[in-house]
Amino acid sequence: MADHHPTGIKRWLFTTNHKDIGTMYLWFSFVMFIVGGSMAMVIRAELYQPGLQFVDPNTFNQMTTMHGLIMVFGAVMPSMVGLANWLIPMQIGAPDMALPRMNNWSFWILPFAFTLLLLSFTMPGGAPNFGWTFYAPLSTTYAPPSTDFFIFGVHMMGISSIMGAINVIVTVFNMRAPGMTLMKMPLFVWTWLITAFLLIMVMPVLAGAVTMMLTDRHFGTSFFDAAGGGDPVMFQHIFWFFGHPEVYIMILPAFGVVSEIIPAFSRKKLFGYASMVYATASIALLSFIVWAHHMFTVGMPVAGELFFMIATMLIAVPTGVKVFNWVATMWKGSLTFETPMLFSIAFVILFTIGGFSGVMLAMAPIDFQYHDTYFVVAHFHYVLFPGAIFGTTAAVYYWMPKWTGKKCNEKWGKWHFWLSMIFVNLTFFPMHFSGLAGMPRRIPDYNMMFAGFNELASIGAFGLGLVQILFLFIVIKTVRSGEKSEKKPWDGATGLEWDQIDTPAPYHTFDTPPKVS
Amino acid sequence: MAIRRKLFASIAMLVGLFSSAIFASDLNMRPGVTETSIEAFDLHMQVIWVMTFVGAVVFIAMFISFVFHRKSKNPTPATWSHSTKMEIVWTAIPVLILIYLTIPAVKLLLKMEESKTDADLTIQITGIQWKWEYMYPEQNITFISSLSTPRDQIDSGAEKGENYLLEVDNELVIPAGKTVRFLVTADDVIHSWWVPDLAVKKDAIPGFINEAWTHVPEDAIGTYRGQCTELCGKDHGFMPVVVKVVSQSDFDSWVAQKNEERIAAEKAAAEAAASSWELDKLMALGEEIYNGKGACFSCHKADGSGTPPLFPALKGSQMATQADQLNDHINIVVNGKSGTAMAAYGSQLTDAELAAVITYERNAWGNDTGDAIQPSQIQAFKAGN
Amino acid sequence: MSTETKEKYEKYYVPEQSPWPIVGAIGLFLLAFGAGNFIQQSTDKVASNDGSWGWLFLALGLAIIVYMLWSWWKDAIRESKQGLYSAQMDRSFKQGMMWFITSEVMFFAAFFGGLFYARALVMPWLAGEGNNAMTHAILWPEFVAQWPMIVTPAGETTEGMGAWGLPAINTLILLTSSWTLTIAHHALKDGNRNALINYTAISAALGIIFLALQVLEYHHAYNEMGLTLGSGIYGSTFFMLTGFHGFHVTIGTIFLIVMTIRCAGGDFTAKNHFAYEAGAWYWHFVDVVWLFLFIFVYIM
Ligand code: HEA
Ligand code: HEA
Ligand code: CUA
Ligand SMILES: [Cu+2]
């Protein structure tokens, strides 16, 4: 079959091809990762030593805010959508996503949304400076004018995510090849299906929250103002009703990736497939009823605190099932340690450590001590960087041959892994200690007693930043002049995308549906 | 081989860091001085141990796999991929562990969240961008507590003191051995009042009053430091909390002294208000207030340039230069502007201080109006308000 | 589901390249950028932002989006008529629409959540319930909990909107329109073209009447009752919920008008009428939201 595809810039602007769109998502997310990462570098440079050196406190707050927003909405979420685009159709035997044009719209909204968000740096009063959680009233009456553009930017990201999620769900429900029953789908598809469901449920709620902010700012409503019968804490409830499922939106697809890679390099079937599916679904369902664990100190009624504490701790159970299943998959396997496997193993270990600190945070009476300190920052970077980012990185190494027909250089990959592993721990582990010692988050300057930890974290962060440049270099080098890959570069890999599709995957896969036994 | 060594090395590093956290006390949470803070610390240690144990089981299992089930050692993988029995076991055990952790957590939570309407002393704490106002309703004491670290320690490399950024001009004073009830609220945005050693962290929400309490034992007299822990704008990092715990008798004499001070200050203020002030004297006091007690500089900048449009420039501002806007100028300083960061200074500063700072704003930075606002004008303004 | 897929799998049509998605993205950007400037300038929030040109971007963005949707759908209709769409494609569209409506439900849920939270929890707290005795005693001693909140904690006053005047009539109108639309839909399936056109047109007309009455109600609220967006949380929730609902009715009505025109032009067959069905679903959704509004905003 002639594998022709449109050429020139129009190929990318007007495309309806899931692979092109996936590629654009992945590159976009990497650009955002670098932008958000650069802001983290500013944060870490300022925090390297006590005293104010590089930026004034207001700029620091802008950096923190935009770092969080860009990493969450610009780097992690689009990278997962990029993977979904590339993999889901191939893994379920579909020719493309169900709604290819809408797919392209989902993508192209994002660069514009982030342009709008980044433009705020040039506006009078500067960029948003109220944290990625934008609590009212700091984000309403006390916020800089650019907040309105932030609000519309969030609306745009929401539209993009919702359309992306609709596409995934419809693709999975309606486009599977004959014989590909739900319980035969690869776990990556399952985790994304569940993620898409979460997205559809919570992104509109976020849109509602920012809309209320907008009217509180400009049209005299009092949603978040006690003088008019509203409540600033109501904002937090609405935000976290979105925000907690959001953190699972960022991690579930990574769970899926790891559940593909570990069996491949253990040369053994994934242990407990069915319970993996049920565990993922339980995590998603529980995620709707735990949101107020971010708000233990706001003065909720005790009954509420008890409920949210216990519900949150329960999430450790299904997540534990996943971790144990991964371990059991490796058990008595025939393991090799190529780069994707290394990243996946690090994922399991470091995510688990992040999960442990999560359980500690879930316990309300001690969260009073941890809350809004660097202990929380340590927690969420452990689940996000070696979690979500390592997950994506592992996926890139694993599926790179399928995408480009070329293999990443193992030696470089291992360097990338080991340096990341060292620096990620050097950056984020000391944050546990500064948090326990009492250092609050979102501060540009601190007492001497936190100096040692911050110095370590900053050194680690600069290293981690440089290592990501290495990653960029590896990817470019592979695409340009990588070693050619055979059809199935990993002997343990299974699934339609390896068994029934050429390497590299042709522009159009599956002219006729594959048979799944 | 090399891989295995590196793996071991990095894991050893992690384990090392983790266990040093447990054994080296300066790496750990502070036990604090109250019954609740010590119980919180104990619970924290308990969870750490449980987590270390669970982590050890999981990670050791993984490492056994890495070593014994690598391809070179175990070329033919097992073919099983399911075991209901095992899955039940590793669902049930975490549930039990969590129940074991939940019980003490619930107990401690209920204890911490008890309502103390019968407390010995009640203090109202108000977060204001970026300082705390402490009010003792029964003792008739109100004062503002703000950062006292000198600017040069922050901005330039001047030698930093031991309590850098954790020191204030007026500490909160409470008696030891007594139950103290805190009513926490805010005037503008959300703040959070935290003293780690007392294990009290309560958000200060504008329009609502949250309650918290502490009981510092008599043998724990001393000074305890914390910080605002909810992002509250530009100077969130410069909003420390300092609590001085003293004996009951010291507390009583402090209350008496504060009351005397207040009476004296009221008298002095009345006198100052009655007398007529020269421009230089107003300017001198005004500058001091602007850059000190009033902390106007923290938004409007020492050179009056502000950060428009967040914080307007006063230098050359209409309000601070036009004669016909004098009343508006007095009004915004005395009453603030609700819904903005501009707080009401009418009750935070004396009439003389208000007059001085307003005069300063109308003459500094080339505003040169020559106006010398008198305390009596402020009094008249307040009376007509 | 799986057996169905197995049997009905046909060759799938991956649509041609299309410029509309990126045009739509540019339109959204202009819309957002213009709206930000326009709002700031027209509500006087930022004196330094002379965004008087904001409306230009806003209008341009809107125009582009309308043009984009028009062209996009035109392409889709053309392809559909060329028979390029399989039954599977049709299912994709239908499921997509269902999930889109689900997301809309969640958007309204945010505002309903706000209403319930404010009314069932915040209001009693401000009046001293739960652990908030001091909130009441110190900060809002005058405040009395009652709904509609005709006196806010800060002392602003307003009036509550009754349920049994216009709102009740509007309920009847929307329910009737749902019913007429169902008749139309059946007519479509039975191949009764005249009934289809007439009943769709009637449904659209009812939508217009509903909107007109709502404008009347707002006018009354603003000018005679002093009930505005600024009337505390009662006014805020009232106008945001009914306002967003009204906005959705507007979209639904346009949808129905277009459907009437297309039906009159001979579009749709008894079997193949996804767009019509989507419009009908949307309309029923808007209708159900109204029932919730009527109960929780007006009656209770
Ligand atoms: C990918 C993102 C991600 C993930 C997966 C998680 C997972 C979890 N998180 Fe985390 N969290 C964040 C991202 C994430 N979090 C972010 C971004 C914030 C900060 C937001 C902000 O304020 O800016 C945050 C904040 C946060 C808080 C608020 C802290 C505070 O502000 O005071 C809490 C409190 O309960 C919490 C808890 C948890 C729990 C219990 C889990 C659980 O899901 C973890 C479960 C996993 C395990 C427990 C490990 C594996 C399990 C076993 C091996 C079984 C055996 C275990 C036991 C028996 C314990 N998180
Ligand atoms: C997925 C999400 C994600 C990721 C990947 C990261 C990555 C990093 N984060 Fe992030 N972080 C958040 C999500 C994330 N963060 C969130 C949600 C918050 C909360 C925000 C808030 O409080 O509102 C936060 C807050 C936060 C803080 C706390 C700020 C504060 O409270 O004041 C800090 C402080 O150290 C920090 C550091 C870092 C560092 C050093 C990295 C590094 O891992 C980044 C490494 C990557 C790069 C550096 C980019 C690639 C390389 C270059 C650009 C080349 C240039 C390099 C050099 C000059 C060396 N983050
Ligand atoms: Cu006040 Cu932070
Ligand atoms: Cu959470």
Side-chain angles (χ1 to χ4, degrees), chain A residues 240 243-245 247-248 290-291 293-294 312:
Chain A
W240 287 116
H244 187 80
V247 308
Y248 293 111
V290 300
W291 73 86
H293 62 217
H294 297 271
T312 305

Side-chain angles (χ1 to χ4, degrees), chain B residues 29-51:
Chain B
M29 191 195 251
R30 276 173 279 172
V33 294
T34 63
E35 202 181 308
T36 46
S37 78
I38 290 167
E39 280 177 35
F41 175 78
D42 290 343
L43 185 56
H44 160 77
M45 287 315 295
Q46 198 176 345
V47 197
I48 286 219
W49 281 117
V50 172
M51 294 302 152

Side-chain angles (χ1 to χ4, degrees), chain A residues 52 61 125 142 267-268 272 275 297-298 305 332-335 366 368-372 433 437 442 445 447 453, chain B residues 21 27 30 40 44 69 71 74 77-78 81 87 113 154 162 164 194 196 201 203 210 229-230 233 236 309 340:
Chain A
L52 290 179
N61 288 347
Y142 294 84
R267 291 162 187 80
K268 184 159 160 276
S275 64
T297 60
V298 300
E305 290 181 336
K332 300 252 157 149
S334 189
L335 306 178
I366 39 180
F368 294 158
Q369 293 289 57
Y370 308 135
H371 176 66
D372 264 341
F433 303 136
R442 296 165 168 170
D445 194 5
N447 182 273
F453 304 129
Chain B
L27 290 179
R30 276 173 279 172
H44 160 77
H69 305 148
K71 200 175 175 191
N74 188 31
S81 66
E87 281 169 286
E113 293 286 28
I154 301 172
E162 186 201 346
Y164 177 67
W194 183 36
K201 182 183 283 155
D203 287 2
N210 275 332
T229 47
E230 182 61 62
H236 158 63
T340 74

